[in-house]
Amino acid sequence: MEEELTTRDRIVNAATILFQTKGYHATGLNEILRKSNAPKGSLYYYFPNGKEQLALETINQTKIFIEKTIRERLDIIQDPSESIKNSIEEMADNLNVDEDEKLSFRSTKKVSINLIAMETVTSSESLRIACESAFKTWQNVYCQKLIVGGFERKRAEELSLVIQTMIEGAIIMSLTMKSDKPLIAVANQIPHIVTK
Amino acid sequence: MEEELTTRDRIVNAATILFQTKGYHATGLNEILRKSNAPKGSLYYYFPNGKEQLALETINQTKIFIEKTIRERLDIIQDPSESIKNSIEEMADNLNVDEDEKLSFRSTKKVSINLIAMETVTSSESLRIACESAFKTWQNVYCQKLIVGGFERKRAEELSLVIQTMIEGAIIMSLTMKSDKPLIAVANQIPHIVTK
DNA sequence: GTCTATAGTACGATAGAC
DNA sequence: GTCTATCGTACTATAGAC
């Protein structure tokens, strides 16, 4: 399936999955290369600055991918509250126990950067900033939806921050507890907090 | 200050700070030992199962410490909504930029286990279960407060799950963005969601 | 551009002196 | 019980053949 991709793409895809599920520091370059059938020389050819540059690329690709995904989901329903609730429920659907009894997301690619975010707050300012930018980008998608739906800018900003925050918390809780309950609970809360 | 503690306690204290700020995989045993002025032999004398057993101890100590802290704060104000809002605002107060320009918590001990939780979901079932237990314990403190305040059990359980989830999300967002805004926004939301 | 071999360092863990 | 020396392995990164 991934055999038709370029070496570079295969490396980035493997790195994305591993960094997001195992973590930045727990993932070795050798593991990434094994998984992507690439030699070590290629990695340093495409990413001269090594592991950190590779991680930066995975964060930025994930930022764009998730932004697009959220936007598409919010476009389905006109009402802001209902559409946001619906998009969170879809996240819960993507969370399941796979055959290895390990909880993960069905679409193995581009899932959540909050593990990388927490890991890099104290160790890499450039990666931290990339994660911050991703969070702000996603928040802004909710914010725009609210503004188009008639909410005042100030109110929309506050609400979208709370929504983005709840989602990140629900991802941690759902993964740790191997249950979609936290995500569902947050989705159900949306209509109560999204009010003018 | 820590010189009067036993070797074991110094090791656990240093490990707690490092695991919670840098992460489990990013923290080396040598770093823990350097920080606690302990020899490597002592670590394996007190924790024969090594790093994982040490991490388990830090998670369990943190669980107990934070449970006590939340309980004390909730006891100050009788009204559930107001007391919970207040306790989250206190968490925001504990979050600040220290002299190294690195965001951290003022009380350097026992802060948040959500980095360890995310890191160990895929790598250590025993640590994951310990983190899950901590989250459930803290949620239960909010749950009890709500029940005593007159909420129905079912409603209290749902609300306390949402509260615990929002707090974990706010910690990630606040640390990543080096701002207390997410925690404050969540605190302000409490009166709107804690309703019968 | 693609790949291999290997340097140099740090890791977790252990053995055994005292 | 306390401490040191060291093992074996894995890591990131580089050098250089092809």
Side-chain angles (χ1 to χ4, degrees), chain B residues 36-120:
Chain B
S36 55
N37 283 315
K40 189 164 283 195
S42 294
L43 194 154
Y44 280 94
Y45 172 74
Y46 292 113
F47 304 97
N49 290 340
K51 193 180 190 182
E52 185 163 357
Q53 189 185 356
L54 175 57
L56 193 62
E57 175 78 7
T58 69
I59 294 168
N60 287 332
Q61 281 201 11
T62 301
K63 170 171 80 172
I64 294 168
F65 177 83
I66 293 192
E67 180 193 9
K68 209 184 63 179
T69 304
I70 300 173
R71 209 181 283 281
E72 285 169 0
R73 287 177 181 175
L74 295 192
D75 279 347
I76 298 173
I77 302 175
Q78 197 181 10
D79 177 62
S81 171
E82 275 306 307
S83 70
I84 292 170
K85 182 187 177 198
N86 211 264
S87 82
I88 298 174
E89 284 168 346
E90 278 207 48
M91 291 181 197
D93 280 345
N94 282 342
L95 192 77
N96 73 334
V97 181
D98 68 25
E99 60 274 18
D100 305 292
E101 298 246 339
K102 275 186 191 158
L103 198 70
S104 62
F105 284 90
R106 217 168 267 146
S107 97
T108 29
K109 278 181 213 171
K110 290 130 186 172
V111 160
S112 161
I113 61 163
N114 70 30
L115 170 51
I116 307 177
M118 286 291 289
E119 278 188 290
T120 58

Coordinates of all heavy atoms in Angstrom, one line a residue, chain B residues 36-120:
Chain B
S36 N 19.4 13.5 42.8 CA 19.0 13.1 44.2 C 20.3 12.7 45.0 O 20.1 12.3 46.1 CB 18.0 12.0 44.1 OG 18.5 10.9 43.4
N37 N 21.4 12.9 44.4 CA 22.7 12.5 45.1 C 22.6 11.1 45.6 O 22.9 10.9 46.8 CB 23.0 13.5 46.2 CG 23.5 14.8 45.7 OD1 24.4 14.8 44.8 ND2 23.0 15.9 46.2
A38 N 22.2 10.2 44.8 CA 22.2 8.8 45.2 C 23.0 8.0 44.2 O 23.0 8.3 43.0 CB 20.7 8.4 45.2
P39 N 23.5 6.9 44.7 CA 24.3 6.0 43.8 C 23.3 5.0 43.1 O 22.2 4.8 43.5 CB 25.2 5.2 44.7 CG 24.4 5.2 46.0 CD 23.7 6.5 46.1
K40 N 23.7 4.5 41.9 CA 22.8 3.6 41.2 C 22.4 2.4 41.9 O 21.3 1.9 41.8 CB 23.5 3.3 39.8 CG 22.6 2.6 38.9 CD 23.1 2.5 37.5 CE 22.9 3.9 36.8 NZ 23.1 3.8 35.3
G41 N 23.4 1.9 42.7 CA 23.1 0.7 43.5 C 21.8 0.9 44.4 O 21.0 0.0 44.6
S42 N 21.7 2.1 45.0 CA 20.6 2.3 45.9 C 19.3 2.2 45.2 O 18.3 1.7 45.7 CB 20.7 3.7 46.5 OG 21.8 3.7 47.4
L43 N 19.3 2.8 44.0 CA 18.0 2.7 43.2 C 17.6 1.3 43.0 O 16.4 1.0 43.2 CB 18.2 3.4 41.8 CG 17.0 3.8 41.0 CD1 17.2 5.0 40.1 CD2 16.5 2.6 40.2
Y44 N 18.5 0.4 42.6 CA 18.1 -0.9 42.4 C 17.9 -1.7 43.7 O 17.3 -2.8 43.6 CB 19.1 -1.6 41.4 CG 18.8 -1.2 40.0 CD1 19.4 -0.2 39.4 CD2 17.8 -1.9 39.2 CE1 19.1 0.2 38.1 CE2 17.5 -1.5 37.9 CZ 18.2 -0.5 37.3 OH 17.9 -0.1 36.1
Y45 N 18.4 -1.2 44.7 CA 18.1 -1.8 46.0 C 16.7 -1.5 46.4 O 16.0 -2.5 46.8 CB 19.1 -1.3 47.1 CG 18.8 -1.8 48.5 CD1 19.0 -3.1 48.9 CD2 18.2 -0.9 49.4 CE1 18.7 -3.6 50.1 CE2 17.8 -1.4 50.7 CZ 18.1 -2.7 51.0 OH 17.7 -3.1 52.3
Y46 N 16.3 -0.3 46.3 CA 14.9 0.1 46.7 C 13.8 -0.3 45.6 O 12.7 -0.6 46.0 CB 14.8 1.6 47.0 CG 15.6 2.0 48.2 CD1 16.7 2.8 48.1 CD2 15.2 1.5 49.5 CE1 17.4 3.2 49.3 CE2 15.9 1.9 50.6 CZ 17.0 2.7 50.5 OH 17.7 3.0 51.6
F47 N 14.3 -0.3 44.4 CA 13.3 -0.6 43.3 C 13.9 -1.7 42.4 O 14.5 -1.4 41.3 CB 13.0 0.6 42.5 CG 12.5 1.8 43.3 CD1 13.3 2.8 43.8 CD2 11.1 1.8 43.7 CE1 12.8 3.8 44.6 CE2 10.6 2.8 44.5 CZ 11.5 3.8 45.0
P48 N 13.9 -2.9 42.9 CA 14.5 -4.0 42.1 C 14.1 -4.2 40.7 O 14.8 -4.6 39.8 CB 14.1 -5.3 42.9 CG 13.7 -4.8 44.3 CD 13.2 -3.4 44.1
N49 N 12.8 -3.7 40.4 CA 12.3 -3.8 39.1 C 12.6 -2.5 38.2 O 12.1 -2.3 37.2 CB 10.8 -4.1 39.0 CG 10.5 -5.5 39.5 OD1 11.4 -6.4 39.5 ND2 9.3 -5.7 40.0
G50 N 13.5 -1.7 38.8 CA 14.1 -0.6 38.0 C 13.1 0.5 37.7 O 12.3 0.9 38.5
K51 N 13.3 1.1 36.5 CA 12.7 2.3 36.2 C 11.2 2.3 36.3 O 10.5 3.2 36.7 CB 13.1 2.7 34.7 CG 12.7 4.1 34.3 CD 13.2 4.3 32.8 CE 13.1 5.8 32.5 NZ 13.4 6.1 31.1
E52 N 10.6 1.2 35.8 CA 9.1 1.0 35.8 C 8.6 1.1 37.2 O 7.6 1.7 37.4 CB 8.7 -0.2 35.0 CG 7.2 -0.4 34.8 CD 6.9 -1.4 33.8 OE1 7.8 -2.0 33.2 OE2 5.7 -1.6 33.6
Q53 N 9.2 0.3 38.1 CA 8.7 0.3 39.5 C 8.9 1.7 40.1 O 8.0 2.1 40.9 CB 9.5 -0.7 40.3 CG 9.0 -1.0 41.7 CD 9.8 -1.9 42.5 OE1 10.8 -2.5 42.0 NE2 9.5 -2.1 43.7
L54 N 9.9 2.4 39.8 CA 10.1 3.7 40.3 C 9.0 4.7 39.8 O 8.4 5.4 40.6 CB 11.5 4.3 39.9 CG 11.8 5.7 40.3 CD1 11.7 6.0 41.7 CD2 13.2 6.1 39.8
A55 N 8.7 4.5 38.5 CA 7.6 5.4 38.0 C 6.3 5.1 38.6 O 5.5 6.0 38.9 CB 7.5 5.2 36.5
L56 N 6.0 3.8 38.9 CA 4.8 3.4 39.5 C 4.7 4.1 40.9 O 3.6 4.6 41.2 CB 4.8 1.8 39.7 CG 3.5 1.2 40.0 CD1 2.4 1.4 39.0 CD2 3.7 -0.3 40.2
E57 N 5.7 4.1 41.6 CA 5.7 4.7 42.9 C 5.4 6.2 42.8 O 4.7 6.8 43.6 CB 7.1 4.5 43.6 CG 7.3 5.3 44.9 CD 6.6 4.6 46.1 OE1 6.1 3.4 45.8 OE2 6.6 5.1 47.2
T58 N 6.0 6.9 41.8 CA 5.8 8.3 41.6 C 4.3 8.6 41.3 O 3.7 9.6 41.7 CB 6.7 9.0 40.6 OG1 6.3 8.5 39.3 CG2 8.2 8.7 40.8
I59 N 3.7 7.7 40.4 CA 2.3 7.9 40.0 C 1.4 7.8 41.3 O 0.5 8.6 41.5 CB 1.9 6.9 38.9 CG1 2.7 7.2 37.7 CG2 0.4 7.0 38.7 CD1 2.6 6.1 36.6
N60 N 1.7 6.7 42.0 CA 0.8 6.5 43.2 C 0.9 7.6 44.3 O -0.1 8.0 44.9 CB 1.1 5.1 43.8 CG 0.6 4.0 42.9 OD1 -0.4 4.2 42.2 ND2 1.3 2.8 43.0
Q61 N 2.1 8.1 44.5 CA 2.3 9.2 45.4 C 1.6 10.4 44.9 O 1.0 11.1 45.7 CB 3.8 9.5 45.7 CG 4.5 8.5 46.6 CD 5.8 9.1 47.2 OE1 6.1 10.2 47.1 NE2 6.6 8.2 47.8
T62 N 1.7 10.7 43.6 CA 1.1 11.8 43.1 C -0.5 11.7 43.1 O -1.2 12.7 43.4 CB 1.5 12.0 41.6 OG1 2.9 12.2 41.5 CG2 0.8 13.2 41.0
K63 N -0.9 10.5 42.9 CA -2.4 10.3 43.0 C -2.9 10.7 44.4 O -3.9 11.5 44.5 CB -2.7 8.8 42.8 CG -4.1 8.4 43.1 CD -4.5 7.0 42.6 CE -4.0 6.0 43.6 NZ -4.5 4.6 43.3
I64 N -2.2 10.2 45.4 CA -2.6 10.5 46.8 C -2.5 12.0 47.1 O -3.4 12.6 47.7 CB -1.8 9.7 47.8 CG1 -2.1 8.2 47.6 CG2 -2.0 10.1 49.2 CD1 -1.2 7.2 48.3
F65 N -1.4 12.6 46.7 CA -1.1 14.0 47.0 C -2.2 14.9 46.4 O -2.7 15.8 47.0 CB 0.3 14.4 46.6 CG 0.6 15.8 46.7 CD1 1.1 16.3 48.0 CD2 0.5 16.7 45.7 CE1 1.4 17.6 48.2 CE2 0.8 18.1 45.9 CZ 1.2 18.5 47.1
I66 N -2.4 14.7 45.1 CA -3.4 15.5 44.4 C -4.8 15.3 44.9 O -5.6 16.3 45.0 CB -3.3 15.3 42.9 CG1 -1.9 15.8 42.4 CG2 -4.4 16.0 42.1 CD1 -1.8 16.0 40.9
E67 N -5.2 14.1 45.2 CA -6.5 13.8 45.8 C -6.7 14.7 47.0 O -7.7 15.3 47.2 CB -6.7 12.3 46.1 CG -8.0 12.0 46.6 CD -8.1 10.6 47.3 OE1 -7.1 10.0 47.4 OE2 -9.3 10.2 47.6
K68 N -5.7 14.6 47.9 CA -5.8 15.4 49.1 C -5.9 16.9 48.8 O -6.7 17.6 49.5 CB -4.5 15.1 50.0 CG -4.7 15.2 51.5 CD -3.4 15.1 52.2 CE -2.4 16.2 51.9 NZ -1.1 16.0 52.6
T69 N -5.1 17.4 47.9 CA -5.1 18.8 47.6 C -6.5 19.2 47.0 O -7.0 20.2 47.5 CB -4.1 19.1 46.5 OG1 -2.8 18.7 47.0 CG2 -4.0 20.6 46.2
I70 N -7.1 18.4 46.1 CA -8.4 18.8 45.6 C -9.4 18.8 46.7 O -10.2 19.7 46.8 CB -8.8 17.8 44.5 CG1 -7.8 17.8 43.3 CG2 -10.2 18.1 44.0 CD1 -8.1 16.7 42.3
R71 N -9.4 17.7 47.5 CA -10.3 17.6 48.6 C -10.3 18.8 49.5 O -11.3 19.4 49.9 CB -10.1 16.3 49.4 CG -11.3 15.7 50.0 CD -10.9 14.4 50.8 NE -10.7 13.3 50.0 CZ -11.7 12.5 49.4 NH1 -12.9 12.9 49.7 NH2 -11.4 11.5 48.7
E72 N -9.1 19.2 49.9 CA -9.0 20.4 50.8 C -9.5 21.7 50.2 O -10.2 22.5 50.8 CB -7.5 20.6 51.1 CG -6.9 19.6 52.1 CD -5.4 19.7 52.2 OE1 -4.8 20.6 51.5 OE2 -4.8 18.9 53.0
R73 N -9.3 21.8 48.9 CA -9.8 23.0 48.2 C -11.3 23.0 48.1 O -11.9 24.1 48.3 CB -9.1 23.2 46.8 CG -7.7 23.5 46.9 CD -7.0 23.6 45.6 NE -5.6 23.9 45.6 CZ -4.8 23.9 44.6 NH1 -5.2 23.6 43.4 NH2 -3.5 24.3 44.8
L74 N -11.9 21.9 47.8 CA -13.3 21.8 47.7 C -14.0 22.0 49.0 O -15.2 22.4 49.0 CB -13.7 20.4 47.1 CG -13.3 20.2 45.6 CD1 -14.0 18.9 45.1 CD2 -13.5 21.4 44.7
D75 N -13.3 21.7 50.1 CA -13.9 21.8 51.4 C -14.1 23.3 51.8 O -14.9 23.6 52.7 CB -13.1 21.1 52.5 CG -13.3 19.6 52.5 OD1 -14.3 19.2 51.9 OD2 -12.6 18.9 53.1
I76 N -13.4 24.2 51.2 CA -13.4 25.6 51.6 C -14.7 26.2 51.3 O -15.3 27.0 52.1 CB -12.3 26.4 50.8 CG1 -10.9 25.8 51.2 CG2 -12.3 27.9 51.2 CD1 -9.8 26.4 50.5
I77 N -15.3 25.9 50.1 CA -16.6 26.5 49.7 C -17.7 25.4 49.7 O -17.4 24.3 49.2 CB -16.5 27.2 48.4 CG1 -15.4 28.3 48.4 CG2 -17.8 27.8 48.0 CD1 -15.1 29.0 47.1
Q78 N -18.8 25.7 50.2 CA -19.9 24.7 50.2 C -20.5 24.4 48.9 O -20.6 23.2 48.5 CB -21.0 25.1 51.2 CG -21.8 23.9 51.6 CD -22.9 24.3 52.6 OE1 -23.2 25.5 52.8 NE2 -23.6 23.3 53.2
D79 N -20.8 25.4 48.1 CA -21.4 25.3 46.8 C -20.5 24.5 45.9 O -19.4 24.9 45.6 CB -21.8 26.6 46.2 CG -22.4 26.5 44.9 OD1 -23.5 25.9 44.7 OD2 -21.8 27.0 43.9
P80 N -21.0 23.4 45.3 CA -20.1 22.6 44.4 C -19.6 23.4 43.3 O -18.3 23.4 43.0 CB -21.1 21.5 43.9 CG -22.1 21.4 44.9 CD -22.3 22.8 45.5
S81 N -20.4 24.1 42.5 CA -20.0 24.8 41.4 C -18.9 25.8 41.7 O -17.9 25.9 41.1 CB -21.2 25.5 40.7 OG -20.8 26.4 39.7
E82 N -19.2 26.6 42.7 CA -18.2 27.7 43.1 C -16.9 27.1 43.6 O -15.8 27.6 43.3 CB -18.8 28.6 44.2 CG -19.7 29.7 43.6 CD -19.0 30.5 42.6 OE1 -17.9 31.0 42.9 OE2 -19.5 30.7 41.5
S83 N -17.0 26.0 44.4 CA -15.8 25.4 44.9 C -14.9 24.8 43.8 O -13.7 24.9 43.9 CB -16.1 24.4 46.0 OG -16.7 23.3 45.4
I84 N -15.5 24.1 42.9 CA -14.8 23.5 41.8 C -14.1 24.6 40.9 O -13.0 24.5 40.6 CB -15.7 22.6 41.0 CG1 -16.1 21.4 41.8 CG2 -14.9 22.1 39.7 CD1 -17.2 20.5 41.2
K85 N -14.9 25.6 40.6 CA -14.4 26.7 39.8 C -13.2 27.3 40.5 O -12.1 27.5 39.9 CB -15.4 27.8 39.7 CG -15.0 29.0 38.8 CD -16.0 30.1 38.8 CE -15.4 31.3 38.0 NZ -16.1 32.5 38.3
N86 N -13.3 27.5 41.8 CA -12.2 28.1 42.6 C -11.0 27.2 42.6 O -9.8 27.7 42.6 CB -12.7 28.2 44.1 CG -12.1 29.4 44.7 OD1 -11.1 29.2 45.5 ND2 -12.6 30.6 44.5
S87 N -11.2 25.9 42.7 CA -10.0 25.0 42.8 C -9.2 25.0 41.4 O -8.0 24.9 41.4 CB -10.4 23.6 43.2 OG -10.9 22.9 42.0
I88 N -10.0 25.2 40.3 CA -9.3 25.2 39.0 C -8.5 26.5 38.9 O -7.4 26.6 38.3 CB -10.3 25.1 37.9 CG1 -11.0 23.7 38.0 CG2 -9.6 25.2 36.5 CD1 -12.1 23.4 37.0
E89 N -9.1 27.6 39.4 CA -8.4 28.9 39.4 C -7.1 28.8 40.2 O -6.1 29.4 39.9 CB -9.3 30.0 39.9 CG -10.4 30.4 38.9 CD -11.5 31.3 39.5 OE1 -11.6 31.4 40.7 OE2 -12.2 31.9 38.7
E90 N -7.1 28.0 41.3 CA -5.9 27.8 42.0 C -4.9 27.1 41.2 O -3.7 27.4 41.4 CB -6.2 27.1 43.3 CG -6.8 28.0 44.4 CD -6.4 27.5 45.8 OE1 -5.3 27.2 46.1 OE2 -7.4 27.5 46.6
M91 N -5.3 26.1 40.4 CA -4.3 25.4 39.5 C -3.7 26.4 38.6 O -2.5 26.4 38.3 CB -5.1 24.4 38.7 CG -5.6 23.2 39.5 SD -6.4 22.0 38.5 CE -7.3 21.0 39.7
A92 N -4.5 27.4 38.1 CA -4.0 28.4 37.2 C -3.0 29.3 37.9 O -1.9 29.6 37.3 CB -5.1 29.2 36.6
D93 N -3.2 29.6 39.1 CA -2.3 30.4 39.9 C -0.9 29.6 40.1 O 0.1 30.3 40.1 CB -2.8 30.7 41.3 CG -3.8 31.8 41.3 OD1 -3.8 32.5 40.2 OD2 -4.6 32.0 42.2
N94 N -1.0 28.3 40.2 CA 0.2 27.6 40.4 C 1.0 27.4 39.1 O 2.1 26.9 39.1 CB -0.1 26.2 40.9 CG -0.4 26.2 42.4 OD1 -0.1 27.1 43.1 ND2 -1.1 25.1 42.9
L95 N 0.4 27.9 38.0 CA 1.1 27.8 36.7 C 1.8 29.1 36.4 O 1.1 30.1 36.3 CB 0.1 27.5 35.7 CG 0.5 27.1 34.3 CD1 1.0 25.6 34.3 CD2 -0.6 27.3 33.3
N96 N 3.1 29.1 36.3 CA 3.7 30.4 36.0 C 5.0 30.2 35.3 O 5.5 29.1 35.2 CB 3.9 31.2 37.3 CG 5.1 30.6 38.1 OD1 5.3 29.4 38.0 ND2 5.7 31.4 38.9
V97 N 5.5 31.3 34.8 CA 6.8 31.2 34.1 C 7.9 31.5 35.1 O 7.9 32.5 35.7 CB 6.9 32.3 33.0 CG1 8.2 32.2 32.3 CG2 5.7 32.1 32.0
D98 N 8.7 30.5 35.3 CA 9.8 30.7 36.3 C 11.0 31.3 35.7 O 11.0 31.8 34.6 CB 10.1 29.3 37.0 CG 10.8 28.4 36.0 OD1 11.4 28.8 35.0 OD2 10.7 27.2 36.2
E99 N 12.0 31.4 36.5 CA 13.2 32.2 36.2 C 13.9 31.7 34.9 O 14.6 32.5 34.2 CB 14.2 32.3 37.3 CG 14.7 30.9 37.8 CD 13.7 30.3 38.8 OE1 12.6 30.7 38.9 OE2 14.2 29.4 39.5
D100 N 13.7 30.5 34.6 CA 14.4 29.9 33.4 C 13.6 30.2 32.1 O 13.8 29.6 31.1 CB 14.7 28.4 33.5 CG 15.5 28.1 34.8 OD1 16.6 28.5 34.8 OD2 14.9 27.5 35.7
E101 N 12.5 30.9 32.3 CA 11.6 31.2 31.2 C 10.9 29.9 30.7 O 10.3 29.8 29.6 CB 12.3 31.8 30.0 CG 12.9 33.1 30.3 CD 12.3 34.2 29.5 OE1 11.7 33.9 28.4 OE2 12.4 35.4 29.9
K102 N 10.9 28.9 31.6 CA 10.2 27.6 31.2 C 9.0 27.6 32.1 O 9.0 27.8 33.3 CB 11.1 26.4 31.6 CG 12.0 26.1 30.4 CD 12.8 24.8 30.7 CE 13.9 24.6 29.8 NZ 14.9 23.7 30.3
L103 N 7.9 27.3 31.4 CA 6.6 27.2 32.1 C 6.6 26.0 33.0 O 6.9 24.9 32.6 CB 5.4 27.1 31.2 CG 4.1 27.5 31.8 CD1 4.1 29.0 32.1 CD2 3.0 27.1 30.8
S104 N 6.2 26.1 34.2 CA 6.1 25.0 35.1 C 5.1 25.3 36.2 O 4.5 26.3 36.3 CB 7.5 24.6 35.7 OG 7.9 25.7 36.5
F105 N 5.0 24.4 37.1 CA 4.2 24.6 38.3 C 5.0 25.0 39.5 O 6.1 24.5 39.7 CB 3.4 23.4 38.6 CG 2.2 23.1 37.7 CD1 2.4 22.3 36.6 CD2 1.0 23.7 37.9 CE1 1.4 22.1 35.7 CE2 -0.1 23.4 37.0 CZ 0.1 22.7 35.9
R106 N 4.4 26.0 40.2 CA 5.2 26.5 41.4 C 5.6 25.5 42.4 O 6.7 25.3 42.8 CB 4.4 27.6 42.0 CG 5.2 28.8 42.5 CD 4.3 30.0 42.9 NE 4.1 30.9 41.8 CZ 2.9 31.6 41.6 NH1 1.9 31.4 42.3 NH2 2.8 32.4 40.6
S107 N 4.6 24.7 42.8 CA 4.9 23.6 43.6 C 5.5 22.5 42.7 O 4.9 21.8 42.0 CB 3.7 23.0 44.3 OG 3.2 21.9 43.7
T108 N 6.8 22.4 42.8 CA 7.5 21.6 41.8 C 7.2 20.1 41.9 O 7.5 19.3 41.0 CB 9.1 21.8 41.9 OG1 9.4 22.1 43.3 CG2 9.6 22.9 41.0
K109 N 6.6 19.7 43.0 CA 6.3 18.3 43.2 C 4.9 18.0 42.7 O 4.0 18.9 42.8 CB 6.4 18.0 44.7 CG 7.8 17.7 45.2 CD 7.8 17.3 46.7 CE 9.0 17.8 47.4 NZ 8.9 17.7 48.8
K110 N 4.7 16.8 42.4 CA 3.4 16.3 42.1 C 2.4 17.2 41.4 O 1.7 18.0 42.0 CB 2.7 15.9 43.4 CG 3.4 14.7 44.0 CD 3.8 14.9 45.5 CE 4.6 13.8 46.0 NZ 5.1 14.0 47.3
V111 N 2.4 17.2 40.1 CA 1.7 18.2 39.3 C 0.7 17.6 38.4 O -0.5 17.8 38.5 CB 2.8 19.0 38.5 CG1 2.1 19.6 37.4 CG2 3.5 19.9 39.4
S112 N 1.2 16.9 37.5 CA 0.3 16.3 36.5 C 0.9 15.0 35.9 O 2.1 15.0 35.6 CB 0.0 17.3 35.3 OG -0.5 16.6 34.2
I113 N 0.1 14.0 35.8 CA 0.6 12.7 35.3 C 0.2 12.5 33.8 O 0.4 11.5 33.3 CB 0.1 11.5 36.1 CG1 -1.4 11.5 36.0 CG2 0.6 11.6 37.5 CD1 -1.9 10.1 36.5
N114 N -0.4 13.6 33.2 CA -0.9 13.2 31.9 C 0.1 13.0 30.8 O -0.1 12.3 29.8 CB -2.0 14.2 31.5 CG -1.6 15.5 31.1 OD1 -0.5 15.8 30.7 ND2 -2.5 16.5 31.3
L115 N 1.4 13.5 31.0 CA 2.4 13.1 30.1 C 2.8 11.7 30.2 O 2.9 10.9 29.2 CB 3.7 14.0 30.3 CG 4.9 13.7 29.6 CD1 4.7 13.5 28.1 CD2 6.0 14.7 29.8
I116 N 2.9 11.2 31.5 CA 3.3 9.8 31.7 C 2.1 8.9 31.2 O 2.3 7.9 30.6 CB 3.5 9.6 33.2 CG1 4.5 10.5 33.8 CG2 3.9 8.1 33.5 CD1 4.8 10.3 35.3
A117 N 0.9 9.4 31.4 CA -0.3 8.6 31.0 C -0.2 8.4 29.4 O -0.3 7.2 29.0 CB -1.6 9.3 31.3
M118 N 0.0 9.4 28.7 CA 0.0 9.3 27.2 C 1.2 8.4 26.8 O 1.1 7.7 25.9 CB 0.2 10.7 26.6 CG -1.1 11.5 26.6 SD -2.4 10.8 25.6 CE -1.8 11.2 23.9
E119 N 2.4 8.6 27.5 CA 3.5 7.9 27.1 C 3.4 6.4 27.3 O 4.0 5.6 26.6 CB 4.8 8.3 27.9 CG 5.4 9.6 27.4 CD 6.7 9.8 28.1 OE1 6.6 10.2 29.3 OE2 7.8 9.7 27.6
T120 N 2.6 6.0 28.4 CA 2.6 4.6 28.7 C 1.4 3.8 28.2 O 1.3 2.6 28.5 CB 2.7 4.5 30.3 OG1 1.6 5.2 30.9 CG2 4.0 5.0 30.8

